[in-house]
Amino acid sequence: MEIINEAKISDLLNKHNKPSSEEINEVIDEAKKARGLTSEQAAILINISKQEDLEKLFATANEVKELIYGKRVVLFAPLYLSNYCTNNCLYCGFRVANKEIHRNVLTTEDIKMEVLEILRQGHKRVLLLMGEHHKKMSLEKFIEAIKTVYSVKDEKDSSIRRINVEIEPLSEEEFQLLSEVPIGTYTVFQETYHRQTYKEVHLSGKKADYDWRLQVMDRALSNGMRDVGIGALFGLYDYRFEVLGLISHSFYLEEKYGIGPHTISIPRIRHAENAPLSEAIPHSVNDTDFRKLVAVLRLSVPYTGMILSTRETIELRMELLNLGISQISAGSRTNPGGYKQAADNSPDAQFNLNDTRTSGEVIKDVIKQGFIPSFCTSCYRRGRVGKDFMDQAKPGLIKQFCQPNGLFTLKEYLIDYADEETKEIGDLLIEKNIESLPENIREKSRQVLDSIGTGQRDIYF
């Protein structure tokens, strides 16, 4: 089975370069069923240019996202363990050719201090990352770091409940080691699905091997990983090609392994120290096209979680919650030791941030927009992963767990970490959403909320 057929993708984009309103309306009607779209249907939508058609697209994406996921938005914090790297990627501050960056590997005590700072923001899940340099941070050390993260408790007796990982592509033997560790999703970005562009922007290092990276999910799913995440870095090549690349990759995984990606990430290139492509982005994606690609991905792969980082502006991040985004980072730092340093946009970071709000400010704004900030990790711990998760997510059944569990974790946050204004608006949001729950779980949810109010924690369906 072929993962990426470049000629087919290019042909579809050219064939539907100027779709008619009739073609667009037909695809929109199909998208409303929330069963996903074909690559050809996605090619029609990604070529939309008229404002009235964009508005239909955006409204449908919002409708499908709410049908599948309800009003909850998952929050997490990235935690970088090291910025040593052997690759020379022209868009990244960690690249080996950057001689001005201060390189650092967190010690066990450093990790504990970082986790404490993250916990004090109210987070319950982290994304663990590191540069690609096995001699400085081996897989064995990484696994020890995972255990360290789980071991930390703050003054509220809170701890990290789930770790997702984003590290370099592993071998089959390495995946077997990692599969014995309690993690959630294993993520690798292809960066660009266009082979020639990939070669031009990855000058050296193991990452220069396009196929080793593209085939990583085959090795992962064949060697113990239950959930995987994919992504593309927008700005390296034509965004329309990358969207169809992500969709093709998703379809390939679903057809071969019975599950699609648990998450899709969609970062855009941002400034990074001594990274030439971040100053001259080859295929810059404007905000309108970025909104469009979010909506098209949501309609094409409706079951998947879509992740948006703090690379984007505050205004756009909040807007995209209505177009398909279901997970966001908050209070992020992209350099090792960044949470303890408490400084925005360090020269030792992988890239610069546009959203530098605190986690508390992000949570408050999410509530004001009517969404439920969720720190839920129940699916991982209930075993609703892999095919089991897909079977719940595809027909929209997953929100019967997501919605109440999100409310429970929000209640924990309001009691343990929130300021008075956030408590007030958060409690109003909880009450409003409890009333909207199906009758068979509404009363049970109220009982759980009462238990949280009397001091119990980590209760979930």
Side-chain angles (χ1 to χ4, degrees):
M1 294 171 60
E2 191 173 28
I3 303 176
I4 300 297
N5 185 325
E6 290 194 12
K8 179 181 177 181
I9 291 174
S10 296
D11 287 347
L12 286 175
L13 291 173
N14 290 329
K15 177 183 176 182
H16 299 290
N17 188 41
K18 294 181 179 180
S20 67
S21 294
E22 291 74 19
E23 290 176 308
I24 293 167
N25 289 336
E26 184 177 337
V27 177
I28 290 288
D29 287 341
E30 184 64 28
K32 289 179 179 179
K33 299 175 184 176
R35 297 173 186 165
L37 300 173
T38 66
S39 293
E40 183 156 14
Q41 289 170 326
I44 290 171
L45 296 187
I46 202 65
N47 277 308
I48 286 176
S49 58
K50 295 179 182 177
Q51 185 60 37
E52 65 247 44
D53 292 327
L54 284 172
E55 289 174 2
K56 292 177 189 175
L57 173 68
F58 296 159
T60 306
N62 182 42
E63 180 182 328
V64 169
K65 187 233 174 170
E66 188 158 335
L67 176 67
I68 299 291
Y69 283 105
K71 282 291 188 180
R72 74 101 169 93
V73 176
V74 170
L75 279 83
F76 69 93
L79 173 55
Y80 284 77
L81 300 178
S82 168
N83 59 2
Y84 279 94
C85 194
T86 58
N87 299 316
N88 192 9
C89 310
L90 294 179
Y91 48 80
C92 181
F94 288 177
R95 69 193 191 102
V96 68
N98 183 3
K99 303 302 182 183
E100 297 181 26
I101 189 174
H102 172 69
R103 306 284 179 176
N104 186 25
V105 178
L106 297 187
T107 66
T108 298
E109 288 306 309
D110 291 334
I111 294 170
K112 289 179 178 179
M113 288 191 289
E114 290 290 278
V115 175
L116 272 176
E117 293 300 322
I118 291 171
L119 287 169
R120 287 165 181 160
Q121 295 182 27
H123 285 291
K124 296 295 187 290
R125 65 163 76 188
V126 299
L127 173 64
L128 211 56
L129 310 95
M130 63 181 182
E132 298 187 10
H133 196 312
H134 258 198
K135 289 184 179 179
K136 294 294 184 180
M137 174 60 76
S138 66
L139 180 61
E140 290 73 20
K141 287 184 179 178
F142 184 77
I143 290 173
E144 285 302 311
I146 291 173
K147 296 175 182 177
T148 299
V149 172
Y150 278 131
S151 73
V152 179
K153 292 190 175 184
D154 70 2
E155 299 85 353
K156 304 287 186 180
D157 203 36
S158 293
S159 59
I160 297 300
R161 296 172 182 168
R162 185 54 49 181
I163 297 170
N164 297 326
V165 303
E166 185 182 322
I167 57 175
E168 68 179 292
L170 303 178
S171 67
E172 292 184 353
E173 295 75 18
E174 289 171 325
F175 274 122
Q176 289 168 12
L177 284 175
L178 188 60
S179 70
E180 298 173 3
V181 183
I183 63 168
T185 304
Y186 172 83
T187 297
V188 168
F189 296 178
Q190 185 62 23
E191 314 295 10
T192 174
Y193 285 95
H194 189 254
R195 188 177 290 271
Q196 182 58 35
T197 299
Y198 189 96
K199 180 180 178 180
E200 292 169 358
V201 302
H202 300 102
L203 302 186
S204 61
K206 198 170 184 178
K207 192 172 178 179
D209 188 336
Y210 176 98
D211 291 302
W212 174 256
R213 198 167 188 89
L214 185 63
Q215 294 162 5
V216 63
M217 296 312 169
D218 292 85
R219 298 192 298 277
L221 292 170
S222 299
N223 291 278
M225 296 294 102
R226 300 287 299 278
D227 287 311
V228 296
I230 62 176
L233 180 60
F234 285 90
L236 295 175
Y237 190 62
D238 183 347
Y239 76 93
R240 302 173 306 152
F241 183 96
E242 305 295 10
V243 167
L244 291 194
L246 287 165
I247 293 169
S248 297
H249 201 173
S250 301
F251 292 170
Y252 165 83
L253 294 175
E254 187 168 5
E255 185 173 349
K256 187 168 184 179
Y257 299 100
I259 63 169
H262 193 80
T263 57
I264 293 178
S265 300
I266 50 164
R268 283 192 287 185
I269 298 175
R270 291 303 183 206
H271 172 77
E273 294 294 323
N274 298 306
L277 283 190
S278 73
E279 301 301 327
I281 300 173
H283 294 269
S284 185
V285 182
N286 64 43
D287 286 354
T288 297
D289 288 337
F290 194 61
R291 294 182 185 95
K292 179 168 62 171
L293 74 87
V294 169
V296 172
L297 284 169
R298 170 50 65 211
L299 297 178
S300 300
V301 197
Y303 58 79
T304 195
M306 287 186 63
I307 300 177
L308 189 66
S309 78
T310 46
R311 293 169 184 254
E312 302 303 332
T313 64
I314 295 171
E315 295 77 17
L316 189 59
R317 291 231 300 165
M318 301 309 294
E319 181 183 348
L320 290 174
L321 297 180
N322 294 304
L323 298 184
I325 295 301
S326 58
Q327 299 188 27
I328 58 173
S329 51
S332 302
R333 296 290 183 268
T334 64
N335 60 300
Y339 292 98
K340 192 65 177 176
Q341 295 167 10
D344 296 331
N345 293 329
S346 163
D348 304 325
Q350 187 180 31
F351 55 85
N352 277 10
L353 311 177
N354 265 321
D355 185 353
T356 58
R357 289 175 294 175
T358 66
S359 290
E361 290 169 334
V362 173
I363 292 163
K364 186 181 295 185
D365 288 345
V366 169
I367 292 171
K368 287 180 177 179
Q369 197 163 317
F371 289 97
I372 303 166
S374 173
F375 303 93
C376 178
T377 59
S378 66
C379 283
Y380 297 115
R381 293 186 289 163
R382 288 289 191 197
R384 291 189 293 264
V385 295
K387 188 177 185 303
D388 290 336
F389 175 83
M390 296 294 162
D391 289 344
Q392 296 284 341
K394 287 180 180 179
L397 299 177
I398 198 67
K399 72 178 180 182
Q400 69 181 322
F401 304 110
C402 295
Q403 205 89 337
N405 287 332
L407 294 173
F408 302 158
T409 61
L410 174 57
K411 186 65 175 180
E412 289 182 355
Y413 173 83
L414 296 176
I415 294 172
D416 293 341
Y417 300 100
D419 61 32
E420 290 305 315
E421 181 187 1
T422 305
K423 287 180 181 178
E424 182 178 348
I425 62 174
D427 282 332
L428 290 173
L429 182 74
I430 289 173
E431 184 58 34
K432 176 182 177 181
N433 281 276
I434 283 290
E435 286 299 319
S436 68
L437 291 176
E439 186 176 350
N440 62 324
I441 60 174
R442 188 184 309 148
E443 187 55 37
K444 189 173 181 180
S445 296
R446 288 195 181 277
Q447 292 171 6
V448 171
L449 289 168
D450 289 341
S451 297
I452 292 170
T454 59
Q456 293 189 48
R457 293 292 181 271
D458 200 16
I459 310 173
Y460 51 89
F461 294 160

